[in-house]
Amino acid sequence: MSEELNICANRSATKYGRVEMLRRVAWNVALLFFRLSPRPFFGFRRWLLRLFGAKVGEQVNVYASATVYMPWNLAIGDWSSVGEHVFIYNLGKVEVGKRVTISLRSHLCAGDHDWHRTDMPLLKPPITVEDDAWICADAFVGPGVRIGAGAVVGARAVATKNVDPWSIVVGNPAKLLKKRILEND
């Protein structure tokens, strides 16, 4: 068993191909226009995300202060919303269903390192947030996690494991509080 990390091997490893690096540079330039777009210009931001390969449904609201790290790794369904200062670190695919709300300052992290190995190679496990889910303010959804349909990840909760459909989870680590039951108007 080695007792020290091989940081040199980690830094010298190829994590992204040339094309992906060029896409990242271009996206960082486009991000300036994304950030400077006025608050109600959701259509413009949808268009810009699609231009860079995101699959964005109808009537999706993404706020200008949100960060989408790699748009080409994002799919988001109709009528969903990505709130202010949300960080979508989508090294791996992030799929967001229909009518999903991702609230203020939430963090979806589809990137990790294999800490079992001394060179700690980069991993890109996907995240899925199914239809009608709500990721509340300041919540964290970790790599490889699936948030079930209709589930609620409570404010500041840390979801490092899958969340069952129509469940409400809270805390760090996120634990089941109760089942979500919707009432008619």
Side-chain angles (χ1 to χ4, degrees):
M1 176 193 256
S2 175
E3 294 196 21
E4 64 181 46
L5 297 176
N6 190 345
I7 301 302
C8 193
N10 177 277
R11 289 185 181 170
S12 65
T14 301
K15 295 172 181 73
Y16 307 102
R18 172 175 245 141
V19 171
E20 191 159 49
M21 288 300 287
L22 291 172
R23 288 171 92 181
R24 289 178 63 196
V25 168
W27 173 242
N28 278 301
V29 172
L31 199 51
L32 176 65
F33 297 100
F34 186 92
R35 292 254 184 270
L36 292 176
S37 61
R39 184 180 180 96
F41 280 38
F42 297 112
F44 170 74
R45 290 188 291 278
R46 285 192 297 268
W47 172 81
L48 196 55
L49 286 165
R50 289 176 185 136
L51 182 67
F52 279 86
K55 293 174 180 70
V56 180
E58 297 300 314
Q59 299 301 317
V60 169
N61 288 352
V62 179
Y63 285 81
S65 61
T67 297
V68 176
Y69 200 74
M70 295 181 173
W72 48 93
N73 284 339
L74 178 65
I76 185 166
D78 298 342
W79 293 94
S80 289
S81 179
V82 177
E84 293 192 43
H85 304 285
V86 167
F87 190 73
I88 300 177
Y89 188 61
N90 54 337
L91 301 181
K93 299 285 185 194
V94 170
E95 293 185 19
V96 175
K98 297 176 182 175
R99 300 171 305 279
V100 170
T101 299
I102 303 174
S103 293
L104 174 75
R105 297 190 190 284
S106 294
H107 184 161
L108 279 62
C109 181
D112 199 359
H113 291 274
D114 185 349
W115 53 268
H116 294 98
R117 293 181 40 183
T118 60
D119 62 344
M120 293 182 48
L122 184 63
L123 304 174
K124 302 172 185 178
I127 291 174
T128 302
V129 181
E130 295 179 354
D131 295 349
D132 302 304
W134 178 18
I135 311 301
C136 296
D138 278 324
F140 176 87
V141 177
V145 171
R146 174 179 291 275
I147 305 298
V152 176
V153 178
R156 295 218 165 164
V158 177
T160 58
K161 295 185 175 155
N162 293 347
V163 176
D164 290 336
W166 300 98
S167 296
I168 300 171
V169 298
V170 297
N172 179 5
K175 300 247 187 266
L176 179 66
L177 176 65
K178 61 183 176 179
K179 286 300 212 177
R180 181 180 183 192
I181 300 170
L182 297 180
E183 298 175 2
N184 291 329
D185 296 336

